[in-house]
Amino acid sequence: KLRENESSKPPNTTTFSQFNKMSVVPSSTHVVESSVVSSSIDTVWGLISNGSFKWWDIVLGTTLKSGNSPLELGANIEVKFKDGQSWLIHLLEISSVSKSITFEVVACEPPVAVTSILHSISLKKVTSSNATYIEWSTDFSNDATSEVVQDSSFKKLEAFAKFPVEESSSKRQRVD
């Protein structure tokens, strides 16, 4: 019935029908997942910071596209996934002191319906053991759908569940 009354609305007012192009379901564009990995912080940092993504079991391989090293600020790295998708990432920040890395996905094949994706991974030592707390956050532009955001969350959790761990004297653990 709103459309029938549009002609009687005061000038410069908005009707609900004018917003029908917006997302039906509002969604957060920030995802944070975390876990504790049964490996030392130095071991986990070595895997995360080398730019190879070998710790993520859905990654087929990486290629340095620009820069002298995958650890160089501004380096561009192509990440190829086992499902045929690829990302071109741009390294924005890396700190061996705070054990954190931030990169932006600047291109995707096939394309993802989102304008920007920014990932940050940070590590903390678990002081009561030789384990590592890992936190992975992603910020999407506000055009990300709830499906894209949810998929990111699931992929992080899967990566943590299959994260390679080092041998421990008390129990045998998965090692890559």
Side-chain angles (χ1 to χ4, degrees):
K1 301 291 182 194
L2 192 55
R3 288 191 186 264
E4 292 175 7
N5 296 329
E6 282 184 14
S7 61
S8 62
K9 71 181 177 98
N12 299 323
T13 60
T14 306
T15 62
F16 180 75
S17 63
Q18 290 172 303
F19 292 106
N20 64 359
K21 293 179 182 150
M22 295 175 67
S23 175
V24 177
V25 179
S27 64
S28 172
T29 58
H30 179 75
V31 176
V32 178
E33 297 296 346
S34 62
S35 186
V36 174
V37 177
S38 299
S39 292
S40 71
I41 194 168
D42 291 331
T43 299
V44 176
W45 179 243
L47 293 169
I48 297 286
S49 67
N50 69 14
S52 73
F53 286 84
K54 287 183 180 180
W55 53 271
W56 199 3
D57 76 326
I58 65 172
V59 170
L60 187 60
T62 59
T63 305
L64 181 64
K65 292 295 191 176
S66 69
N68 295 320
S69 160
L71 303 178
E72 177 183 289
L73 288 181
N76 287 315
I77 303 165
E78 181 180 31
V79 181
K80 290 192 179 256
F81 294 90
K82 293 177 181 176
D83 68 359
Q85 184 180 22
S86 67
W87 290 354
L88 181 63
I89 65 168
H90 181 75
L91 184 62
L92 297 172
E93 180 179 68
I94 187 166
S95 173
S96 58
V97 174
S98 65
K99 306 283 193 269
S100 64
I101 187 167
T102 300
F103 58 91
E104 180 178 20
V105 179
V106 294
C108 293
E109 275 301 321
V112 175
V114 64
T115 306
S116 67
I117 308 170
L118 185 69
H119 291 273
S120 294
I121 302 172
S122 62
L123 309 177
K124 300 284 184 209
K125 181 178 178 162
V126 176
T127 60
S128 63
S129 66
N130 195 30
T132 302
Y133 171 82
I134 182 170
E135 182 177 279
W136 186 355
S137 67
T138 304
D139 289 294
F140 295 94
S141 53
N142 66 355
D143 57 349
T145 64
S146 59
E147 291 82 11
V148 168
V149 174
Q150 191 65 40
D151 183 59
S152 175
S153 179
F154 288 142
K155 285 182 177 164
K156 289 172 179 56
L157 294 172
E158 289 172 1
F160 294 152
K162 297 177 180 179
F163 202 90
V165 294
E166 63 190 359
E167 291 288 330
S168 168
S169 57
S170 61
K171 58 184 173 184
R172 182 165 161 45
Q173 301 168 334
R174 189 172 86 86
V175 178
D176 269 359

